[in-house]
Amino acid sequence: NAGVTQTPKFQVLKTGQSMTLQCAQDMNHEYMSWYRQDPGMGLRLIHYSVGAGITDQGEVPNGYNVSRSTTEDFPLRLLSAAPSQTSVYFCASSYGGGRGDGYTFGSGTRLTVV
Amino acid sequence: DQQVKQNSPSLSVQEGRISILNCDYTNSMFDYFLWYKKYPAEGPTFLISISSIKDKNEDGRFTVFLNKSAKHLSLHIVPSQPGDSAVYFCAAHFQGAQKLVFGQGTRLTINP
């Protein structure tokens, strides 16, 4: 049982490049989300999905795009990378029990934009 | 605007003593409050939670206290152990929505 798998673990991009951060879960969780972690800012919600075909914006969605075509996968796309998007990105999934304690996080993708 | 705040970026405690981590929030619509623990190069993992209708929840060495009138919660770890050294995030769950709002985190260091 792999849980939540994020790839790649590390990535360096040049300003203006695009890329996709991959997230996959094998727990049949309905709810998936993307967070970014920055020093002094904690974890901030970028986008989330409550099921296949349904996505919504979080606190800091600008510059990111998501889609949810299957229950298992929730990729995060950077359309045109900027240095402000240098961060550690975490994907999480949950059974959606409505209490917040069922979140399983991936191990993160450390992204540097130069 | 930060709805969940952890005002202490770091805390250092002697092994065997009590560790107290604090968290403040502003939104009365939160229905659950949680603490997540994070080690370097790993994702956060759930530690303990408390419903907004409770004032205390205990799980082994970990106890969370909630003061709704002050919009304040705290995590007590007794006794503190070296393996407790990590970053602790306070989080709050929005009633009726699948959203968690996190604080900035507190880095706890347990000294032998």
Side-chain angles (χ1 to χ4, degrees), chain A residues 13-52:
Chain A
L13 284 180
K14 292 183 178 179
T15 298
Q17 286 184 317
S18 62
M19 80 159 293
T20 299
L21 280 62
Q22 301 292 343
C23 176
Q25 54 94 5
D26 60 0
M27 297 170 285
N28 203 32
H29 284 168
E30 287 297 318
Y31 178 74
M32 297 185 74
S33 55
W34 277 101
Y35 288 85
R36 58 178 290 176
Q37 182 191 3
D38 302 293
M41 302 295 289
L43 292 160
R44 292 181 293 170
L45 182 63
I46 305 171
H47 285 286
Y48 66 100
S49 169
V50 299

Side-chain angles (χ1 to χ4, degrees), chain A residues 55-95:
Chain A
T55 63
D56 206 347
Q57 296 181 352
E59 303 170 66
V60 288
N62 293 338
Y64 306 96
N65 198 5
V66 292
S67 60
R68 182 95 180 271
S69 56
T70 67
T71 300
E72 294 79 20
D73 300 297
F74 191 42
L76 178 71
R77 297 181 189 85
L78 278 70
L79 308 173
S80 177
S84 61
Q85 294 179 304
T86 293
S87 186
V88 181
Y89 291 83
F90 290 100
C91 177
S93 74
S94 167
Y95 58 81

Side-chain angles (χ1 to χ4, degrees), chain B residues 5-11 20-22 88 104-107:
Chain B
K5 294 183 181 180
Q6 294 174 256
N7 292 316
S8 298
S10 63
L11 177 67
I20 301 176
L21 292 86
N22 295 301
Y88 289 79
Q104 303 96 314
T106 297
R107 181 177 303 277

Side-chain angles (χ1 to χ4, degrees), chain A residues 31 33-37 40-45 59 90 92 100 103 105, chain B residues 1-6 23-24 30 34-38 43-46 88-94 99-105:
Chain A
Y31 178 74
S33 55
W34 277 101
Y35 288 85
R36 58 178 290 176
Q37 182 191 3
M41 302 295 289
L43 292 160
R44 292 181 293 170
L45 182 63
E59 303 170 66
F90 290 100
Y103 280 56
F105 283 84
Chain B
D1 185 27
Q2 194 86 20
Q3 297 187 67
V4 178
K5 294 183 181 180
Q6 294 174 256
C23 179
D24 298 296
F30 293 135
L34 308 97
W35 287 92
Y36 277 77
K37 179 178 180 179
K38 184 184 179 306
T45 55
F46 169 72
Y88 289 79
F89 288 100
C90 172
H93 181 264
F94 267 106
K99 288 187 181 182
L100 274 186
V101 179
F102 286 84
Q104 303 96 314

